[in-house]
Amino acid sequence: MNLTESYQNPHIAVWELTLKCNLKCLHCGSSAGKKRTDELSTKEALQLCHDLSDLGFGGIALMGGEVFLRKDWSVISKEIKDLGIALSIITNGFFKPEKFIPELVKLETDCLMLGLDGASAKTQDKIRNVEGSFEKAKAFMRAAKQAGLSVGIITTVHKLNFKELPKILDFVIKEEVIWQIQDAAPIGRFPKELVLSNEEYYSLGLFIYSLQKKYNKKKFSIVGTHNFGFHSKVIPNLSTYPEWKGCYAGKTVLGIQSNGNIKGCLALSDDYIEGNVKKRSIKEIWNDPNAFAYNRKFKVEDLGENCQQCKYGKECKGGCTTRSTCMTGIPHNDPCCFYQIEKEL
């Protein structure tokens, strides 16, 4: 097959290793808690690792649910590392560090990210819906850093914690850890009424930009997720990607559910499942010319009303597919656009 699109260059697969979770986070896009009854077996998971390697994926990010609640997490992680793939693990840190940190060090884990959504136990524990989540996450993070791991925190921003960002910044500066900032979308458990307003969203972009100018050349970095903003006259691209050329789902990025369902992005609804690796290999699904058509076969005519008249429409492709679909019901119609907000303001 002669593939001419950018999916010749797969980059990272985000893998929900299990849906089982020990917390009940308000912003959880997958409503995690109980494991799926049809999770991939260890054998199936290891085969998937090999297939992802054969396709050329350079990184795999394991998440949940909660990764450490799957008994074979280290077996799968070792396979990823043995295949020469960069391993990232996202955890809530609600564990005794001595139980997991030594194994993470032995694996030479490339990046460990922990969720920290508040500057205090009051806020964090309210958002995570389990008492002690704040203190345990901090303890796990500090132990991981002391052990020499590359460590960062992820903050998912919404109306309940928006005003606490300066205090979280104080923590980041003190601890010298990577800080990834993302906005909450109304998927899973998260209610739409707590989504940031356009003004708050734009202010968040300005906040990240100001921090990047001040701190990114020091001992830690601050980034926005790859889907932040689009074509501002003031705010540059906030992620590690050099520029935004449309949603990456199904082109360079892949989402894998714990039962083997495949999506272009793990945050997309189940309407966007392209197949299951128990029935078709990930190689077949990824190389299928009709898969991920919403992105791979995008046409300007696909733009929604928010983007139809935009001069950047052809290049931007209507922004983030997940945010567009969950907020407007269709793809290529993302309302969270710095360019549009600047026009309105």
Side-chain angles (χ1 to χ4, degrees), residues 93 95-102 136 139-141 143-144:
F95 302 94
K96 293 180 179 179
E98 59 270 21
K99 185 175 180 181
F100 295 98
I101 299 298
K136 287 198 173 186
F140 199 96
M141 181 209 71

Side-chain angles (χ1 to χ4, degrees), residues 117-128 160-161 164:
D117 301 301
S120 66
K122 180 180 179 181
T123 303
Q124 170 89 351
D125 293 357
K126 179 179 180 180
I127 292 171
R128 299 260 162 178
L160 294 183
N161 62 0
E164 290 206 7

Side-chain angles (χ1 to χ4, degrees), residues 158-159 162 194-205:
H158 43 75
K159 289 185 180 296
F162 178 70
L194 292 180
V195 171
L196 296 177
S197 67
N198 280 353
E199 291 79 7
E200 289 168 333
Y201 178 76
Y202 190 77
S203 296
L204 180 58

Side-chain angles (χ1 to χ4, degrees), residues 104-159:
L104 291 168
V105 173
K106 183 180 178 182
L107 286 165
E108 299 183 350
T109 305
D110 295 280
C111 184
L112 178 70
M113 300 296 288
L114 294 99
L116 196 75
D117 301 301
S120 66
K122 180 180 179 181
T123 303
Q124 170 89 351
D125 293 357
K126 179 179 180 180
I127 292 171
R128 299 260 162 178
N129 278 306
V130 175
E131 187 175 343
S133 64
F134 182 68
E135 295 301 332
K136 287 198 173 186
K138 287 197 301 179
F140 199 96
M141 181 209 71
R142 286 168 176 159
K145 189 182 176 195
Q146 188 173 10
L149 291 169
S150 175
V151 183
I153 64 169
I154 300 174
T155 300
T156 304
V157 185
H158 43 75
K159 289 185 180 296

Side-chain angles (χ1 to χ4, degrees), residues 202 204-213 216 223-244 338 342:
Y202 190 77
L204 180 58
L206 289 172
F207 176 75
I208 298 171
Y209 174 41
S210 68
L211 299 186
Q212 288 182 344
K213 287 198 299 181
N216 269 15
V223 297
T225 42
H226 67 274
N227 63 342
F228 238 112
F230 324 123
H231 304 291
S232 167
K233 294 180 180 178
V234 179
I235 305 170
N237 195 53
L238 298 174
S239 77
T240 54
Y241 285 81
E243 57 186 330
W244 176 264
F338 287 164
E342 286 172 353

Side-chain angles (χ1 to χ4, degrees), residues 40 44 47-52 54-55 57 254 256 260-262 274-288 291-292:
L40 294 176
E44 289 168 333
Q47 181 60 54
L48 180 54
C49 292
H50 281 263
D51 289 347
L52 290 169
D54 288 346
L55 281 170
F57 279 89
L254 183 69
I256 306 166
N261 284 338
I262 299 300
E274 302 288 340
N276 187 288
V277 298
K278 294 179 181 180
K279 299 177 181 179
R280 297 172 69 205
S281 74
I282 188 59
K283 294 178 183 178
E284 290 182 78
I285 296 171
W286 184 260
N287 290 327
D288 186 337
F292 313 100

